[in-house]
Amino acid sequence: MRCPFCRHPDSRVVDSREVEDGQAIRRRRSCSDCGRRFTTVEESVLAVVKRSGVTEPFSRDKVVRGVRRACQGRPVNEDALQQLAHRVEDAIRATGCAEIPSNEVGLAILSPLRSLDEVAYLRFASVYRSFSSVEDFEKEIAELRTADPAGERPSGEALV
C-alpha cells in the first residue's frame, strides 16, 4: 500500500478490524519510510450483471425502492424494508460470487418478501415473473396456500 504522505510503495499493517458487520476491514498502517500512520478500508465489491450485460454495484437502496413499491399501501414499515434488503445482500454474498445476475437478486428478494407480506410478495412476483393472466395469479395464490412454513414450494422449487 502506497503511503499517502511520502508516496513510498511499502507500509506495514499495525492493526486490522472488521467494520460494517464484517463487510469491510479497517487497517491501520505505518509507512516503513517516513513512519507516519494512516488508515485504509477494504471492502469487497458485489456487482450485479443486468440482462443488457451492463455491470453495476449492488445497491441495498435499489432493493428497498423496488420492494417499497410492492409494499405501497401495506402495513410494512421502513425498518422492515431495510432488514429485508440486508437479508437479500447477505444471501447474495453467501453465494461467494463477486458478480451476480440481476435475476438472482430478484429471486433472493422473493422469499423474505413472502415472509414479510404476502400481498406485496404477489405484487412483486407478478412483475418479476411477468404474470400475463389471472390464472398466473391463481396458481401463485394456490402455491402460497399449500406451501409449508419453511418456504418450500410444492413444485419442489425452493425460494432463495
Side-chain angles (χ1 to χ4, degrees):
M1 173 61 63
R2 187 175 298 276
C3 174
F5 305 108
C6 70
R7 309 298 294 160
H8 185 65
D10 192 30
S11 65
R12 68 181 183 86
V13 175
V14 178
D15 182 43
S16 292
R17 295 178 191 209
E18 285 187 3
V19 291
E20 299 176 22
D21 296 327
Q23 300 301 319
I25 298 174
R26 179 185 168 273
R27 296 194 196 281
R28 192 72 182 143
R29 296 178 175 271
S30 176
C31 176
S32 56
D33 192 42
C34 71
R36 293 178 77 177
R37 291 186 172 197
F38 58 98
T39 301
T40 59
V41 177
E42 301 171 16
E43 61 182 333
S44 62
V45 176
L46 184 60
V48 176
V49 181
K50 303 196 134 221
R51 279 181 250 157
S52 65
V54 174
T55 302
E56 65 180 43
F58 174 83
S59 168
R60 274 193 207 174
D61 291 334
K62 203 166 182 181
V63 170
V64 169
R65 280 194 309 268
V67 173
R68 185 180 292 129
R69 275 179 284 196
C71 293
Q72 194 169 358
R74 303 292 304 154
V76 177
N77 63 33
E78 189 64 27
D79 187 46
L81 295 177
Q82 293 296 333
Q83 288 177 2
L84 182 141
H86 185 74
R87 285 177 62 191
V88 168
E89 184 176 5
D90 286 348
I92 291 171
R93 286 191 185 277
T95 66
C97 298
E99 290 186 346
I100 188 156
S102 59
N103 67 320
E104 294 292 326
V105 176
L107 288 174
I109 291 171
L110 287 173
S111 181
L113 182 56
R114 178 180 172 192
S115 300
L116 182 64
D117 187 281
E118 288 182 339
V119 172
Y121 165 81
L122 277 173
R123 289 175 178 171
F124 188 88
S126 71
V127 173
Y128 179 73
R129 293 190 177 141
S130 303
F131 288 5
S132 59
S133 67
V134 173
E135 288 78 23
D136 293 336
F137 280 96
E138 289 172 342
K139 180 180 172 202
E140 194 68 34
I141 290 169
E143 287 184 10
L144 279 171
R145 287 183 176 147
T146 59
D148 71 13
E152 291 295 317
R153 304 181 75 153
S155 63
E157 175 189 338
L159 295 172
V160 178

